[in-house]
Amino acid sequence: MNDQPQTQSAAKVLGGLTPYLQLDGAFKAAEFYQKAFGAEKVFFYPPDEQGRTMHIHLHINGSTLMISDFYPEHGMSPVKPQGYTMQLHLGSDDIEAWWQRAVDAGCEVVMPLQVMFWGDRWGNMRDPFGVEWAMNAPVKA
């Protein structure tokens, strides 16, 4: 599980807004996001005696995503993910491959990839941790 040295330099934060997810099993989620979305794990704190981590920093599609486990003893109680969607903006030549990789990794299709009323291709899926993901790309001209 601990595949990087204990001492790491800080990773660069990409983008101007960083989603930070608390999940049950942050290391498992990071591994899943590597398979499903091509995530690169750029920093993490080693697991505690219960296998939890306070912080994992990922890069996905040119942006930063940060995740951690729940820590009820520090006010971060387990809650089911709800009320948001992680949106991936892709190129028209990329969306099919991104979609298929995520489905093959184990994401459940909620709304199939299709041309939407605003003119882009869009679809929605749910990962095994309950997080909603959507993909959007312009329609090929």
Side-chain angles (χ1 to χ4, degrees):
M1 193 178 293
N2 190 359
D3 58 349
Q4 292 185 5
Q6 296 278 344
T7 304
Q8 304 171 56
S9 59
K12 182 176 180 170
V13 175
L14 304 177
L17 176 67
T18 302
Y20 205 117
L21 304 175
Q22 284 80 40
L23 302 169
D24 184 18
F27 278 111
K28 288 181 184 176
E31 290 173 8
F32 180 82
Y33 295 155
Q34 287 173 306
K35 291 177 194 164
F37 304 115
E40 177 188 1
K41 186 171 20 172
V42 294
F43 182 87
F44 69 91
Y45 286 113
D48 65 12
E49 60 282 346
Q50 297 174 40
R52 304 174 303 176
T53 184
M54 278 286 206
H55 182 71
I56 299 175
H57 184 151
L58 303 171
H59 287 166
I60 301 175
N61 191 35
S63 296
T64 289
L65 172 64
M66 296 182 183
I67 58 178
S68 72
D69 282 285
F70 295 113
Y71 281 82
E73 67 273 26
H74 297 294
M76 295 171 58
S77 298
V79 294
K80 181 179 177 181
Q82 62 183 7
Y84 63 89
T85 301
M86 305 299 291
Q87 178 95 357
L88 292 163
H89 296 276
L90 304 164
S92 59
D93 292 334
D94 301 329
I95 194 164
E96 288 289 341
W98 277 76
W99 183 267
Q100 195 59 53
R101 177 177 58 193
V103 170
D104 290 347
C107 284
E108 170 193 356
V109 174
V110 175
M111 178 171 262
L113 193 58
Q114 58 191 294
V115 177
M116 300 303 288
F117 66 90
W118 61 86
D120 288 346
R121 293 187 71 209
W122 185 88
N124 187 30
M125 57 183 59
R126 184 176 303 110
D127 73 27
F129 302 90
V131 177
E132 298 279 332
W133 293 80
M135 295 184 191
N136 192 85
V139 174
K140 289 182 185 181

